[in-house]
Amino acid sequence: MSLIDEQLDFSRVADTFLAHGSLQSPAFLDGRLCARLALDDIAADTWLEEVCATLGVDQPNSREDGEVLLAWRQQTLDALAAPELNFEPLLPDELFSLAERARGLQEWTQGFLEAVAEVASDKRDGWSAALREVLEDLASLTEFDIELDETAENENDLFALTEHARMAAMLLYTEQHPGQPQVERVDTEDDGSTPPDRTH
């Protein structure tokens, strides 16, 4: 796979959707992608098939478009597994109105929870109480009022909600992939004196 050097953002992926005749927001599929990477390590070819099915095409229109869609998956996977904990959902940025950004977060949450709901119950049995709680709280984001006025208070509220979604995705991933990311090992691996319970 040939990866795109640039950091993909919401607008870049949305433009790729538009090139395929789709006005759908990438946010919903990004929510599904995050959950699928955490729960079943969705392969690149399977991801490409899912996106193409959503766009109503058999395959990407061009090699470049295919690279964007595959780089989207790889970028998300790298961020979820990174020790820097710098994962960010693919959402509309500050160039969009507050209402558009709120709608994007709501769509992301719907996609994320939809993918989580598809998981067999036997896998959920091993989830921690913290993960169960954060997922229950996340469900409320699918129902909040997205018609937000452009105020500092609403801006702060949306930031807090987005942070909750971000943490939910990282918690789901780390519980399914023990030891990833290895947050503290970077500073302590040469020491040898770190107790086992400080590896997370």
Side-chain angles (χ1 to χ4, degrees), residues 1-4 20 60-70:
M1 179 179 69
S2 176
L3 292 177
I4 300 216
H20 291 78
N61 288 342
S62 67
R63 180 189 181 104
E64 180 182 358
D65 288 341
E67 288 179 348
V68 168
L69 298 176
L70 290 173

Side-chain angles (χ1 to χ4, degrees), residues 17 21 45-47 75 78 137 139 142 168 199:
F17 277 30
D45 56 348
T46 304
W47 166 245
Q75 176 176 292
D78 291 346
D137 292 342
T142 64
T199 57

Side-chain angles (χ1 to χ4, degrees), residues 65-93:
D65 288 341
E67 288 179 348
V68 168
L69 298 176
L70 290 173
W72 177 13
R73 172 193 170 275
Q74 189 63 49
Q75 176 176 292
T76 304
L77 177 59
D78 291 346
L80 285 170
E84 296 83 4
L85 302 177
N86 59 357
F87 163 76
E88 294 288 345
L90 192 77
L91 298 171
D93 58 24

